[in-house]
Amino acid sequence: MLELAQVGDFCPNKKCPDYGKLQSKQTKRNITKYGKTRKGKQRHKCNTCKETFTETKGTIFYRRRTPAKEIMDTLALVAEGDRISSLRRAKGHKEDTILDWLKAAGEHSEAVEAVLLADYRLERGQIDGLWAYVGNKGEKKAMKRRLRAVSFGGQR
Ligand SMILES: [Zn+2]
């Protein structure tokens, strides 16, 4: 479960057939270590799409203060139908924080889905409910950008 936050456990290339598939769930691993960068960071290579990547890329909850397991626990509760406002009271996370995790999760939806299906035994429909919060994978964001463009135009 915690491997979710670890680089090198899944391919971050969205065009790759093995994108987001956790290595721990694979019978044949597609990710291998691939030397180090000049700054000493571990580099990984996906043998399916031949892309290489380092630890700054492709991590779902990279550099977040809350442990990945806690984030996933919270997201699973949202998928199970808990309201974000009641989670805020129960778990002590700010609503904005939870929404931020949802957004990050939506950007790596396949990797997150793999964990929710396997480790949390959620159903497809529940996970779809989760993505509804993110506005169908980024649609809401595009809408906001559009609205901003409109209001900017109005200021002239
Ligand atoms: Zn790949």
Side-chain angles (χ1 to χ4, degrees):
M1 166 55 245
L2 284 174
E3 71 262 39
L4 185 66
Q6 274 166 28
V7 187
D9 196 53
F10 60 91
C11 178
N13 173 16
K14 287 187 182 171
K15 288 175 190 148
C16 178
D18 286 330
Y19 164 72
K21 290 184 188 167
L22 297 177
Q23 296 304 290
S24 47
K25 306 266 185 266
Q26 301 272 78
T27 42
K28 192 178 179 295
R29 295 182 159 230
N30 56 297
I31 309 282
T32 47
K33 286 190 176 174
Y34 193 69
K36 293 204 170 157
T37 65
R38 222 183 297 169
K39 286 180 177 172
K41 283 186 176 173
Q42 182 63 53
R43 192 188 284 124
H44 291 86
K45 183 177 182 181
C46 171
N47 293 307
T48 306
C49 65
K50 314 291 179 207
E51 286 269 311
T52 62
F53 51 96
T54 54
E55 60 188 64
T56 49
K57 200 181 158 196
T59 315
I60 300 178
F61 300 119
Y62 181 68
R63 277 202 295 200
R64 269 164 226 273
R65 262 179 294 165
T66 313
K69 187 180 182 321
E70 175 64 20
I71 297 178
M72 287 306 294
D73 283 354
T74 308
L75 295 184
L77 288 173
V78 175
E80 281 168 355
D82 282 25
R83 295 173 63 97
I84 290 180
S85 54
S86 62
L87 281 175
R88 187 193 58 196
R89 283 193 298 272
K91 304 209 110 212
H93 300 304
K94 283 184 189 150
E95 229 166 301
D96 277 355
T97 307
I98 297 175
L99 288 171
D100 180 50
W101 295 340
L102 274 166
K103 213 172 82 191
E107 283 161 12
H108 298 270
S109 52
E110 287 176 47
V112 171
E113 281 181 24
V115 174
L116 288 176
L117 290 168
D119 293 348
Y120 290 87
R121 317 235 163 255
L122 291 183
E123 284 161 25
R124 197 72 249 170
Q126 294 176 305
I127 294 172
D128 289 343
L130 184 65
W131 300 139
Y133 272 106
V134 219
N136 293 328
K137 299 183 187 180
E139 209 175 81
K140 211 176 255 170
K141 210 161 131 198
M143 176 81 78
K144 229 181 235 171
R145 216 177 295 138
R146 228 172 295 143
L147 284 175
R148 209 179 299 140
V150 168
S151 65
F152 185 73
Q155 281 169 1
R156 277 185 297 176

